[in-house]
Amino acid sequence: MTSDYLVDLIVLLAAAVIVVPACQVVKLGAVPGFLIAGLMVGPAGLGLIDNLTEIRHLAEIGIAFLLFVIGIELKPSRLWQMKRLVFGLGSLQVLLTGMVFTAIAYYVFDLPSRAVLIIGPALALSSTAFVLQLLSEQRLLRSTYGRTSFSILLLQDLAVVPLLALVSLMEMPSLNLGGDIGFALVEALIILILVILTGRYFFHPILHRIAQTKIPEVFTASAILIVLGVSLVAEHINLSMAMGAFMAGMLMSDSSYKHQVVSEIKPFRGLLLGLFFMSMGMSLNLNLLFEKPWLTLGLVLSLVILKVVILFPLVCLFGLEKRKSFAVSIILAQSGEFGLVLFAMASESEIITAAVHQQLLLVILISLLITPVLSNWANSILAKNKSDDDVPVEKVPKSAIVIAGFGRVGHRIGEILNQAGQSFVGIDVDAAIVDQARSDGLPVFYGDVCNQSLLDSIGAKEASVIIITLDDLEATKLIVSTLRAANPTLSIYVRGHNSAECIELQTLGATEVVSENIEASLELARMGLSAINVDDQERERVLQNYARRYYEQIKRAIK
């Protein structure tokens, strides 16, 4: 019945609202919070929800959105800049750790060969969502420690693609293991080629046409349609929704619309991803932990120790000092959310048994729960040997400027900044303006400047200066008030038509406002005075005094 689904939804939302903030307070993080919330309302807890099938199907969309965002971030130019750490260190970590866990699963636990080919590499993965969240909160992403950790996670995310394909292909009994692996690798290569070709000639023109309608709701619908549509196509060709979403993200990685697309799906991604972790928590079999506590804890401890022992010398081999290498190996010692995805798919495909799946699920979830402890341990190691390179450098440089609105006024400001050798980022909701600016080599992106998520995505939250050039007073007022509430120290410079608008905008939080009427009047007066040969110093004195009195009147009106 519809009411049953409504009750389940209310229970899930209530559990998330109560448990997740509590976990944040005690420094556990959001991911363990969702896991604990799911455990509390699931069959092993209070038993408020026992029908997990429909919830799991809905939760899969959250994973699809996560893979989509990761695909957007993995554009070829970014990978090439980090190629040594990503493809060198990251590849060695996944291959060596995966081989060790595969061998243990096969020779020690006597699991089938088809199962260990998934279990080994899946356990080698770490939690991208959790680790990046911790590094971001601690503002360590730009440190050597953070960059190295991120590079390894980046390669692990890439490794998910052939692993997802391998799980899908293993459902086909006609293929042998060698054929499965070889076909998965070839398929991944073909996907990357198709991403480059299709992304250039298909998605950008479609989004351009949609953007020209200037209807925000249609753009939001198109963003969701891209993710779910490509995911559905992938599922119909015997791949997974997650792989399809990753492909869609790669298609968008070089688009000027990517920031707006990400900001549109961000609320859906966060909510549905939380639902996925809650569904995993609801699936947790606590009886197994109570029946075999030492086995479970021993497996978790072995997982952490082995990952540290394998990764530590590899990081040292790539030139990091021992303390930083040890910290990197510790923060990545847990298993990750993609392990949950891969094992869930493998269990549904009967590649691994339900009992093995429950044991693996328990090990991963406990390893996720202890991640905050691992993070604190890593930070204590770094604190003993603090160097300039470890100082957080998360903020946009002080010279960075965001231009909100890149029409005629914004474009001229951009040209002036370029000539001054200063960096900037532009945003505009007019697709034609964005395309023209990008064809000129300017860093301008499509998006609604009133969207706080978009502003955060392109760095507006951390920038030192925002210049707002919109010709829409209401939109400008909304942006000024939003930015000022988010950052009290931000310098916000705005254009206004007259003194009334200037007063209103400065009241809302603008640092300085330029009146178009008075500036035009001053320039015309300067030309007139020059034409009748008024002394230059006298002319500038009169003009400056007039402008000063005008803007002082505005400031007095605010007080």
Side-chain angles (χ1 to χ4, degrees):
M1 294 177 63
T2 304
S3 59
D4 294 333
Y5 289 106
L6 183 60
V7 171
D8 288 349
L9 181 60
I10 291 173
V11 168
L12 289 170
L13 291 174
V17 167
I18 295 171
V19 177
V20 176
C23 288
Q24 291 279 40
V25 170
V26 297
K27 306 298 183 182
L28 273 179
V31 174
F34 283 116
L35 294 172
I36 295 171
L39 176 62
M40 289 179 59
V41 301
L46 300 176
L48 299 177
I49 298 177
D50 54 10
N51 186 9
L52 305 182
T53 305
E54 290 80 5
I55 294 174
R56 283 176 179 166
H57 289 316
L58 186 60
E60 286 179 6
I61 301 177
I63 293 297
F65 283 139
L66 176 62
L67 264 293
F68 174 77
V69 173
I70 289 173
I72 273 186
E73 295 174 349
L74 292 182
K75 62 181 181 180
S77 59
R78 188 177 188 185
L79 289 176
W80 187 250
Q81 290 175 355
M82 307 170 64
K83 58 184 180 295
R84 181 173 176 271
L85 289 176
V86 174
F87 297 108
L89 178 58
S91 297
L92 284 174
Q93 186 276 329
V94 171
L95 289 173
L96 293 180
T97 310
M99 289 171 61
V100 169
F101 286 138
T102 299
I104 292 174
Y106 186 74
Y107 291 107
V108 177
F109 293 97
D110 197 27
L111 294 175
S113 56
R114 293 174 71 87
V116 301
L117 286 176
I118 300 299
I119 293 173
L123 289 177
L125 306 178
S126 304
S127 177
T128 299
F130 205 171
V131 173
L132 290 186
Q133 177 189 352
L134 290 171
L135 291 175
S136 178
E137 290 174 354
Q138 297 159 2
R139 297 194 177 278
L140 288 170
L141 272 174
R142 298 299 178 92
S143 66
T144 303
Y145 160 67
R147 288 196 305 269
T148 305
S149 302
F150 178 70
S151 299
I152 296 171
L153 291 171
L154 210 55
L155 194 282
Q156 290 180 0
D157 293 339
L158 282 174
V160 170
V161 179
L163 288 174
L164 290 170
L166 183 59
V167 172
S168 299
L169 291 168
M170 278 188 172
E171 296 180 3
M172 307 175 188
S174 60
L175 290 178
N176 57 41
L177 291 180
D180 284 351
I181 297 173
F183 194 82
L185 293 174
V186 171
E187 185 178 44
L189 180 61
I190 292 173
I191 287 171
L192 290 176
I193 295 173
L194 289 176
V195 160
I196 295 172
L197 296 177
T198 310
R200 184 176 296 273
Y201 299 109
F202 184 64
F203 272 110
H204 186 84
I206 290 179
L207 285 173
H208 178 72
R209 292 299 181 100
I210 294 172
Q212 286 181 322
T213 66
K214 298 183 179 180
I215 304 175
E217 294 79 9
V218 175
F219 196 91
T220 302
S222 68
I224 298 173
L225 179 61
I226 287 172
V227 181
L228 299 184
V230 178
S231 300
L232 184 62
V233 170
E235 194 174 43
H236 275 288
I237 58 175
N238 295 320
L239 298 179
S240 65
M241 286 184 64
M243 179 180 287
F246 179 84
M247 291 167 57
M250 288 286 283
L251 291 173
M252 293 290 302
S253 64
D254 283 316
S255 171
S256 58
Y257 301 100
K258 67 177 184 178
H259 291 293
Q260 181 69 12
V261 170
V262 170
S263 68
E264 295 292 348
I265 71 168
K266 186 177 180 180
F268 302 98
R269 181 197 67 176
L271 185 61
L272 293 173
L273 190 58
L275 185 60
F276 169 77
F277 287 120
M278 291 183 73
S279 70
M280 291 297 101
M282 285 185 280
S283 303
L284 191 60
N285 186 356
L286 285 183
N287 292 329
L288 185 61
L289 176 60
F290 297 142
E291 291 172 3
K292 303 176 181 178
W294 297 115
L295 173 63
T296 301
L297 295 177
L299 289 173
V300 174
L301 185 61
S302 300
L303 172 77
V304 171
I305 292 174
L306 283 172
K307 295 189 82 168
V308 171
V309 168
I310 294 170
L311 183 55
F312 173 63
L314 291 178
V315 181
C316 288
L317 185 65
F318 277 74
L320 266 73
E321 58 185 81
K322 290 183 179 180
R323 287 186 185 274
K324 291 179 183 176
S325 299
F326 195 37
V328 170
S329 62
I330 289 171
I331 192 63
L332 299 179
Q334 77 290 110
S335 193
E337 58 275 358
F338 290 122
L340 297 175
V341 177
L342 289 165
F343 292 145
M345 292 175 59
S347 177
E348 291 176 3
S349 304
E350 299 183 352
I351 297 172
I352 60 175
T353 63
V356 171
H357 180 221
Q358 282 296 325
Q359 187 66 71
L360 290 169
L361 184 64
L362 194 58
V363 169
I364 293 178
L365 295 183
I366 293 176
S367 76
L368 286 172
L369 289 173
I370 65 172
T371 297
V373 178
L374 297 175
S375 176
N376 291 335
W377 185 15
N379 288 339
S380 67
I381 293 172
L382 290 174
K384 294 177 182 178
N385 189 28
K386 199 74 173 178
S387 65
D388 292 339
D389 193 39
D390 292 319
V391 177
V393 194
E394 185 66 12
K395 292 188 177 181
V396 176
K398 291 296 182 183
S399 60
I401 297 174
V402 174
I403 303 174
F406 211 75
R408 289 174 295 179
V409 176
H411 192 279
R412 293 190 184 102
I413 294 172
E415 289 179 339
I416 294 170
L417 292 175
N418 265 341
Q419 292 176 15
Q422 299 298 318
S423 62
F424 71 91
V425 175
I427 317 171
D428 203 285
V429 76
D430 191 317
I433 289 176
V434 173
D435 281 353
Q436 181 59 49
R438 291 181 70 85
S439 66
D440 294 337
L442 298 175
V444 181
F445 295 93
Y446 173 83
D448 180 4
V449 291
C450 297
N451 188 323
Q452 183 62 39
S453 298
L454 172 68
L455 294 173
D456 293 346
S457 176
I458 56 93
K461 187 176 181 180
E462 301 294 341
S464 56
V465 175
I466 305 285
I467 300 176
I468 303 173
T469 69
L470 302 184
D471 197 21
D472 184 333
L473 177 61
E474 293 304 317
T476 301
K477 287 161 57 178
L478 176 60
I479 297 169
V480 170
S481 58
T482 302
L483 289 174
R484 180 54 70 214
N487 190 342
T489 62
L490 180 66
S491 295
I492 305 174
Y493 302 115
V494 193
R495 65 185 281 202
H497 290 294
N498 50 52
S499 60
E501 288 187 8
C502 292
I503 291 170
E504 192 171 7
L505 290 168
Q506 283 207 289
T507 303
L508 290 171
T511 306
E512 296 288 348
V513 182
V514 175
S515 171
E516 292 181 347
N517 289 352
I518 187 62
E519 294 301 326
S521 301
L522 290 171
E523 285 303 314
L524 290 171
R526 178 178 284 109
M527 293 175 185
L529 292 172
S530 298
I532 61 175
N533 299 319
V534 173
D535 179 70
D536 289 351
Q537 290 185 351
E538 177 65 14
R539 180 190 67 213
E540 294 305 318
R541 183 188 66 79
V542 171
L543 294 174
Q544 288 174 8
N545 286 339
Y546 187 89
R548 178 174 51 79
R549 288 194 299 271
Y550 179 88
Y551 286 112
E552 284 178 351
Q553 288 175 359
I554 293 176
K555 291 181 180 179
R556 283 198 297 269
I558 297 172
K559 296 177 182 178

